[in-house]
Amino acid sequence: MTTQVLPKINSLGYWASLAFEKHFQKTLKHELEVLKDQDPEELHQMRIGMRRLRCATQGFGFVVTVPKATQDQKIGKIARCLGGLRDLDVLLEALENRYKPNLPTLEQVELDKPLQKLRKQRHHAFKKVQKILRHQSYLMFKQKFQEWLEQPIYKDISQVPILAVLPDLLLPQVSQLFLHPGWLVGVEEEDLETSDNNNFLLQKTNSKHQIVKINNDTSAINISDAEEESLHSLRKKVKGVRYQMSLFSEFYGLTYEAYLRDMKELQEYLGDIQDNAVLRKFLESIFQSDIDKVLPSLVRQLKQSREKALQKWQVLQRRYLNIQVRQNFRSELLRPLT
C-alpha cells in the first residue's frame, strides 16, 4: 500500500525524503559548472552527489515508490558517465602535477605521449557527459524527481520511527562489509588466529566514548592483480557503508563519528591503490613494453606511492580484522541516541 500522506518528523519516510532532497540538490548545484568544464572539482562534487543519491534510492527503496525515470538503474547510468570523465581527470592530475615535475628531462619528454593520449580520451569522455546531461532522459529524470519531491509517494513502513529501525538499516550494510574477502588480502593464517589483539581499544570515560588507536608497524605487502580487484571491490562496499552512515550521524555520538572517519580513510587508501594500478596499466598499454626501462624514475615513484598506500591500508585492515573492534562497531549501531 502506498500513500502521499507526509510522514511525521523523525519517521523513516521523513528521513528518506530528506536524503533524496539533499543529494538531488547537490547534484543540480554543480551541473552548469560541469558543462562549462573549467574546474574538475565541480565534476567531482556532482559525481559524489549522484552516487549518494543512488545510495539513498537503494537504501530506502522499501520506504518509498519513485517514478521509473528516477530509479536506481537510471541514476547508475548517469553516475558511470560522470565517473568515466572523473577517472581520467584523476590520471591527468597525477601525471601532470604529481609525477612529471619530479622526473628527469628525458622521462618528461617520454611522458608527453601518454598525456596526449589521456587528453584525447578525456575530450571524448567530456562529449559523452555533455550528451547525457542534455539528453531527454536526463531532463526527464530531473523533472520526475522534482515532481516526486513535491509530492512524495510513501509505503506504509514510512511511518515507523527512525530510531526503531536505524540498526536494521545500518547493520546489514556493515555485515556485508565485514564478510568481504578483500579483508584477507595479504593476511596469513597465523595473523587471523591472533586477530583479537588489542590494537584498537574502545574505552568509556565520564560516560563518553574515547577512541584509543594503537598503530603497529607495518611492512608493504605484495598483491596480485586478482587481489587488487578484490580490494577495489572492498572499496565499493566501504563507500556504501560510509554514505549510509553519513545520513544518520546526528543520531549517534563521537564513537560513531570515529568509525565513520575510518570508513572515509579506508575509501581513500583503497582508492589510492586502485588509481596507482590503473595508471601503471595505462602506461604499459601506451608503450607496449616494459615501462621500467622507458620511465625508471616514474616507476620508482609509483612503487613508493603504492607502498605508502598499502601500509596505510594495512593499519586499518588489521584493526578491522580484530574481533573486538567488529563487536564494538556492531554494538555502537544498536544504540542510537534518543
Side-chain angles (χ1 to χ4, degrees), residues 54-69:
R54 188 183 187 192
C55 180
T57 58
Q58 292 172 336
F60 291 112
F62 68 100
V63 183
V64 300
T65 300
V66 296
K68 185 176 180 180

Side-chain angles (χ1 to χ4, degrees), residues 166-180:
L166 260 182
D168 303 309
L169 285 173
L170 295 169
L171 280 170
Q173 293 269 1
V174 172
S175 295
Q176 290 179 31
L177 173 63
F178 286 165
L179 289 171
H180 196 283

